[in-house]
Amino acid sequence: QVQLVESGGGLVQAGGSLKVSCAASGIFFSLSTMAWYRQAPGKQRELVASISRTSSTDYVDSVKGRFTISRDNAKNTVYLQMNSLKPEDTAVYYCKTRRDYVDYWGQGTQVTVSS
């Protein structure tokens, strides 16, 4: 059974930093591409960042230079370090992976950036 559990969200002022984590189980973590998505109220869920099994990373343009995705295969955990946060980064952040052609999502963690 695949489980993804996010943590680390919260309230932060604009310009501040926050790090969210996603602990995974039920997958071959070191072989899995992991991704962070976010969904703001009234908007579609969007891909924020992804990291491959070789630690190759990709980011949506709006977070490049501010966010960093990383992974710790020993802990089966993927992280998203968010710096220089803006109010428009406010959203529920979700962790996602895929196993056997099926997408799995975490429950999400709320990130709120106040102006």
Side-chain angles (χ1 to χ4, degrees):
Q1 181 181 359
V2 178
Q3 279 195 316
L4 302 173
V5 180
E6 300 100 335
S7 61
L11 174 64
V12 63
Q13 286 189 333
S17 297
L18 207 58
K19 187 174 185 177
V20 292
S21 304
C22 171
S25 60
I27 59 173
F28 291 107
F29 183 83
S30 62
L31 301 181
S32 301
T33 292
M34 304 297 297
W36 284 99
Y37 284 71
R38 66 185 178 187
Q39 187 166 20
K43 294 189 176 182
Q44 287 191 331
R45 193 172 295 190
E46 69 168 346
L47 175 63
V48 176
S50 64
I51 184 166
S52 73
R53 61 181 181 177
T54 60
S55 293
S56 174
T57 60
D58 196 18
Y59 300 90
V60 67
D61 285 347
S62 60
V63 308
K64 285 180 180 177
R66 300 189 298 122
F67 290 12
T68 302
I69 189 171
S70 61
R71 64 191 302 154
D72 185 337
N73 290 338
K75 296 182 178 180
N76 284 6
T77 300
V78 61
Y79 305 97
L80 186 67
Q81 175 69 48
M82 302 179 287
N83 299 329
S84 302
L85 282 161
K86 304 175 181 180
E88 50 263 44
D89 295 317
T90 295
V92 178
Y93 284 71
Y94 298 90
C95 179
K96 193 207 89 170
T97 192
R98 173 172 285 196
R99 193 189 81 174
D100 297 333
Y101 306 104
V102 176
D103 288 337
Y104 294 89
W105 298 85
Q107 82 287 353
T109 185
Q110 176 70 46
V111 172
T112 303
V113 184
S114 63
S115 57

